[in-house]
Amino acid sequence: MKKRAKLKDIADALNISIATVSRALNDKYDINASTKKEVLRVAEELNYRPNPIAVSLRKNSYNVIGVVLPSIDHYFFSTVLKGVMNKAHKSNYLVIVGESNHDPDKEKSILEQFLNHGVTGVIISPTMGKPAEHFSKFRNKRIPLVLVDRPLVDDVDSFVRYDDPNGAFLAVEHLIDQGYKSIACIKGNDNCVISNARYSGYAKALGQNNLTENPKHVKTCINLDSKKDGYLLGKQLLLAKDKPDAIFTVTDEVAAGVYAAAKELKVDIPGELGLVGYSNSKVSIHLSPQLSTVEQPGVEMGEEAFDFLQQIMLGSTEILKKTFDARLIVRGSSTRHATINNMTIV
Amino acid sequence: MKKRAKLKDIADALNISIATVSRALNDKYDINASTKKEVLRVAEELNYRPNPIAVSLRKNSYNVIGVVLPSIDHYFFSTVLKGVMNKAHKSNYLVIVGESNHDPDKEKSILEQFLNHGVTGVIISPTMGKPAEHFSKFRNKRIPLVLVDRPLVDDVDSFVRYDDPNGAFLAVEHLIDQGYKSIACIKGNDNCVISNARYSGYAKALGQNNLTENPKHVKTCINLDSKKDGYLLGKQLLLAKDKPDAIFTVTDEVAAGVYAAAKELKVDIPGELGLVGYSNSKVSIHLSPQLSTVEQPGVEMGEEAFDFLQQIMLGSTEILKKTFDARLIVRGSSTRHATINNMTIV
DNA sequence: AAAATTTACTGAAACGTTTACGGTAATTTT
DNA sequence: AAAATTACCGTAAACGTTTCAGTAAATTTT
């Protein structure tokens, strides 16, 4: 493998100084047209391209941010990334991406890799709700940091999040409005903050409407991206003797599983069973009837996150916070009454 | 905004040389325990962290590759990225990502940004099938390059692709096996290489089975990610007087639209209409009956692409090529006969 | 106690650039 | 033709770090 050409190689080839070469390449003052031409020729010949590290060091500018997400092929996160990249590209920032796969250890190693590399800022959607020790370490170093979707509990980091509890609240109130009386919930693991937040909204909606929570109607789903798990739990709920007439699931994928269970058991949606999911993922419009769900504006959240990060990188010391308002998308899976405006897509 | 501390600041504070400070921080030989302690104390005090740019320059190590994809929130591409990142992370490479949004100009600007930054290699899934001029420029600079999914026509770049024509061929042969006699196709724009490749497989399958292609049964869909477009074209096909009894669509999303059309027109799938899509996207298992489709192993393709890139970065001058074999996933949407092994998921 | 070794440090070069500054030759002005 | 200007180029410092080679003092060995 040939060594990469540097300024000196061009300079030596033409018997001129590297300063002249540099000026020629950078189209600066004080350069003769013919030598410039020569320099460009030799540069092309030697396949020269500037060493960005050296340039960065000299110019003292490095425009790279890091984004770490639990899962890159998860629709919501990929839209967040899209939003970040939209804005970053416009501001001439490069974004390096890491995927933690919901593993705190991997998250930590990615963060350290990013730090070592010298990113000027980081946007992260943490795997866990609890502030891990590698976060405090991070903060000590004062690297601009913005959390997305899963703000940690202590009040030190800027964040962009979504009003998860209220989204769930709206979903369940809507089911109640539609006349459903016995509303179950399929939630996630207890250490999943997202699930907990949504579950709290569910509980609140029941409470405010004088409905008592039935412990048998609250199921825990290990893998919230698994249709199969949703199917199994949905079946459990629908086969119970005090079966619910509506189910709120904390993800659309789980709701898709419930569809399968309902179909197998010949339970009509929305007639015998109302259903609302969460995230407005692509699946929701492909189900039949289409699934009511809670919208999560990933792209906008990503864009806002980058804006925050940029403010911090430019020197702001404030803790920037934004909570996106919850918005319910009502579709066929939860509408027994025609009076509701049904926002079907097709 | 305070200036960032550097080695000299620590050195000055303790009246020692920066060399000593550096050794103390890096836990090297030739350092007294007490001075080391002092150095660490002051470093902490001043919030020192090494300038990674300077370190990179000095140590001459830069492990960054670029990945540019047409659309980051498209499931297939996000899995490709996942595969690339899996491998890259293991080899201690950082990956920066760019999204071209199917726009050649943006693709070009991203590529130039990457080049300027000095990535050591690039994996790209080009927007167009034709070799754009910014590609040749790219090649002249001899930056390691691997194409994914859409190899350009001239035989100069390494690539990882999928046997698209054969995937389509298998899909259509399967429909014929199932006894469908009049098989339509919903394809994409003529300048979409992917669509063309799949369409060619469709045509070949018809030809080999002595079925004549009916021009009225070949529809062009502008947006291959649009369920709505699929719905409209599906309706056209199903309302024609010589309506087909099966449809092969070049994406699953379009097939989902056809489901909607069939449901509206009360056409039974798979009884009256056989259906096979393409890509095995998440949608396919949420449709009812589940959609037969052609698998595209994005993660594996991404992993292979990184392996290729690494080989090239390590000095290989060969043009590396790999075509993944097509694999049909048979599900309910195309099985009229029970003899077929039906790989349903739920 | 002289010699040899070890310990703990410093100075300086190097990584590849950019750029302020100074200098020389050519050109223009007077 | 001398003076002033211009055009062009080279020298060297600087960015922040690592590390080699050298050195003085402290310690051990003889």
Side-chain angles (χ1 to χ4, degrees):
Chain A
M1 191 86 134
K2 259 178 295 190
K3 273 231 147 197
R4 177 168 160 166
K6 50 189 177 181
L7 287 185
K8 189 164 188 313
D9 298 324
I10 304 180
D12 288 351
L14 293 170
N15 256 319
I16 55 178
S17 75
I18 59 168
T20 306
V21 176
S22 174
R23 282 197 303 267
L25 291 173
N26 290 15
D27 225 10
K28 280 282 174 61
Y29 52 93
D30 275 4
I31 187 77
N32 183 293
S34 69
T35 52
K36 179 172 166 184
K37 219 172 106 185
E38 283 292 274
V39 168
L40 290 178
R41 186 180 59 76
V42 177
E44 177 73 13
E45 207 174 294
L46 297 181
N47 253 314
Y48 171 79
R49 60 204 160 81
N51 180 330
I53 300 294
V55 176
S56 291
L57 179 61
R58 171 63 220 230
K59 291 198 180 168
N60 197 23
S61 66
Y62 195 61
N63 291 334
V64 177
I65 65 164
V67 177
V68 12
L69 301 171
S71 168
I72 193 62
D73 57 338
H74 188 288
Y75 182 67
F76 172 69
F77 291 122
S78 70
T79 57
V80 170
L81 179 58
K82 193 188 190 84
V84 172
M85 293 205 307
N86 279 350
K87 287 275 188 172
H89 192 253
K90 280 177 193 154
S91 300
N92 242 18
Y93 273 85
L94 251 32
V95 349
I96 69 183
V97 182
E99 187 184 36
S100 65
N101 275 317
H102 303 276
D103 173 2
D105 290 335
K106 188 160 185 204
E107 179 177 276
K108 183 177 174 183
S109 94
I110 291 172
L111 276 178
E112 278 173 357
Q113 207 187 8
F114 282 10
L115 282 189
N116 290 339
H117 184 73
V119 294
T120 45
V122 168
I123 293 172
I124 181 170
S125 189
T127 58
M128 290 291 154
K130 288 161 202 155
E133 100 285 3
H134 53 277
F135 268 88
S136 64
K137 191 166 126 197
F138 207 82
R139 283 191 290 264
N140 286 341
K141 306 221 172 183
R142 304 231 175 103
I143 305 232
L145 178 66
V146 174
L147 302 174
V148 173
D149 198 39
R150 306 187 185 184
L152 301 178
V153 286
D154 39 351
D155 201 37
V156 289
D157 294 305
S158 294
F159 65 77
V160 170
R161 70 171 176 196
Y162 184 71
D163 192 345
D164 264 309
N166 194 237
F169 180 83
L170 292 176
V172 176
E173 277 234 313
H174 160 66
L175 285 169
I176 295 170
D177 280 353
Q178 288 290 311
Y180 296 103
K181 306 283 181 204
S182 171
I183 302 169
C185 176
I186 302 183
K187 62 189 223 19
N189 238 321
D190 276 349
N191 58 8
C192 173
V193 268
I194 287 295
S195 164
N196 290 344
R198 294 174 189 173
Y199 173 68
S200 75
Y202 162 81
K204 183 178 167 198
L206 289 192
Q208 287 200 4
N209 289 275
N210 299 319
L211 295 173
T212 51
E213 203 175 317
N214 181 344
K216 299 225 164 192
H217 281 176
V218 177
K219 296 286 183 186
T220 294
C221 182
I222 304 301
N223 181 354
L224 291 175
D225 288 330
S226 163
K227 179 181 175 185
K228 186 168 184 180
D229 288 8
Y231 162 79
L232 295 172
L233 292 171
K235 214 164 156 181
Q236 277 183 30
L237 284 168
L238 294 176
L239 287 176
K241 63 169 183 281
D242 57 343
K243 71 171 192 212
D245 63 357
I247 304 178
F248 165 66
T249 64
V250 300
T251 65
D252 289 347
E253 285 69 27
V254 169
V258 176
Y259 270 75
K263 188 174 184 197
E264 185 179 319
L265 300 174
K266 305 213 185 305
V267 172
D268 177 59
I269 299 173
E272 298 170 72
L273 182 71
L275 213 47
V276 179
Y278 212 112
S279 286
N280 191 28
S281 56
K282 299 224 161 160
V283 184
S284 58
I285 63 161
H286 291 119
L287 294 165
S288 176
Q290 295 195 347
L291 175 65
S292 297
T293 187
V294 180
E295 186 184 49
Q296 266 191 305
V299 174
E300 287 85 346
M301 289 173 71
E303 289 177 343
E304 188 79 34
F306 181 80
D307 282 345
F308 277 7
L309 189 67
Q310 199 168 27
Q311 283 183 50
I312 300 172
M313 292 191 299
L314 290 176
S316 165
T317 57
E318 276 181 275
I319 297 179
L320 305 168
K321 304 176 179 186
K322 163 131 188 183
T323 302
F324 279 75
D325 283 340
R327 202 170 81 83
L328 181 67
I329 299 178
V330 176
R331 299 204 186 100
S333 67
S334 62
T335 45
R336 292 209 279 210
H337 307 320
T339 49
I340 293 296
N341 69 320
N342 184 330
M343 308 180 188
T344 48
I345 303 264
V346 160
Chain B
M1 192 90 131
K2 256 178 298 190
K3 272 234 149 197
R4 176 168 160 167
K6 50 190 176 183
L7 287 185
K8 190 165 189 315
D9 299 324
I10 304 179
D12 288 351
L14 293 169
N15 255 322
I16 56 178
S17 75
I18 59 168
T20 305
V21 176
S22 173
R23 282 198 314 274
L25 292 173
N26 290 14
D27 224 9
K28 281 282 176 59
Y29 51 91
D30 276 5
I31 188 78
N32 185 292
S34 68
T35 50
K36 179 171 165 182
K37 220 173 106 184
E38 283 292 275
V39 167
L40 290 178
R41 186 180 58 75
V42 177
E44 177 74 14
E45 207 175 293
L46 298 180
N47 250 314
Y48 172 79
R49 64 201 159 79
N51 180 330
I53 301 293
V55 176
S56 289
L57 179 61
R58 170 64 220 225
K59 291 196 177 169
N60 196 22
S61 62
Y62 195 63
N63 293 333
V64 178
I65 64 164
V67 177
V68 13
L69 301 170
S71 167
I72 193 62
D73 58 338
H74 187 289
Y75 182 67
F76 172 69
F77 291 123
S78 70
T79 57
V80 170
L81 179 58
K82 193 187 190 84
V84 172
M85 293 205 308
N86 279 350
K87 288 276 188 170
H89 191 253
K90 279 177 193 153
S91 299
N92 242 19
Y93 273 84
L94 251 32
V95 350
I96 70 183
V97 182
E99 187 184 37
S100 65
N101 274 318
H102 302 276
D103 174 3
D105 290 336
K106 188 161 185 207
E107 179 177 277
K108 183 177 174 181
S109 93
I110 290 172
L111 238 28
E112 278 173 357
Q113 207 187 7
F114 282 10
L115 282 189
N116 289 340
H117 183 74
V119 294
T120 44
V122 168
I123 293 172
I124 182 171
S125 190
T127 58
M128 292 288 156
K130 288 162 201 154
E133 99 286 2
H134 53 277
F135 267 88
S136 64
K137 191 166 127 197
F138 206 84
R139 282 192 291 263
N140 285 341
K141 305 223 173 182
R142 305 232 176 101
I143 304 232
L145 177 66
V146 174
L147 302 174
V148 173
D149 198 41
R150 307 187 184 185
L152 302 178
V153 285
D154 40 352
D155 202 36
V156 291
D157 295 306
S158 294
F159 64 78
V160 171
R161 71 172 175 193
Y162 184 72
D163 192 345
D164 265 309
N166 196 236
F169 180 82
L170 292 176
V172 176
E173 277 234 312
H174 159 67
L175 286 169
I176 295 170
D177 281 352
Q178 287 290 312
Y180 297 103
K181 305 285 182 200
S182 172
I183 303 169
C185 175
I186 302 183
K187 65 188 217 31
N189 237 323
D190 276 349
N191 58 9
C192 173
V193 269
I194 287 295
S195 163
N196 290 344
R198 294 175 188 171
Y199 171 68
S200 75
Y202 161 81
K204 182 178 167 198
L206 289 192
Q208 287 200 5
N209 289 274
N210 298 319
L211 295 173
T212 51
E213 203 176 315
N214 181 344
K216 300 224 165 192
H217 282 176
V218 177
K219 296 285 182 186
T220 296
C221 182
I222 303 303
N223 182 352
L224 290 175
D225 288 329
S226 163
K227 180 179 175 184
K228 185 167 183 182
D229 288 9
Y231 162 79
L232 294 172
L233 291 172
K235 213 162 156 183
Q236 277 183 31
L237 284 168
L238 294 175
L239 287 176
K241 62 173 185 282
D242 56 343
K243 73 172 190 209
D245 63 357
I247 304 178
F248 165 66
T249 65
V250 299
T251 66
D252 288 348
E253 285 69 26
V254 169
V258 175
Y259 270 77
K263 189 174 184 193
E264 184 180 319
L265 301 174
K266 305 212 185 304
V267 173
D268 178 58
I269 299 173
E272 297 170 73
L273 183 71
L275 213 47
V276 179
Y278 213 112
S279 286
N280 192 27
S281 56
K282 298 224 165 161
V283 184
S284 60
I285 63 163
H286 291 118
L287 294 166
S288 177
Q290 296 194 348
L291 176 65
S292 296
T293 186
V294 180
E295 186 183 49
Q296 266 191 304
V299 174
E300 288 85 345
M301 289 174 72
E303 289 178 342
E304 188 79 33
F306 181 81
D307 282 343
F308 278 7
L309 189 67
Q310 199 169 27
Q311 284 182 52
I312 301 172
M313 292 190 299
L314 290 177
S316 164
T317 56
E318 275 181 274
I319 297 180
L320 304 169
K321 305 176 179 185
K322 164 130 185 183
T323 301
F324 280 74
D325 282 340
R327 202 169 81 83
L328 181 67
I329 300 178
V330 175
R331 298 205 186 99
S333 67
S334 62
T335 46
R336 293 207 279 209
H337 307 318
T339 47
I340 292 298
N341 69 320
N342 185 331
M343 309 179 189
T344 48
I345 304 266
V346 161

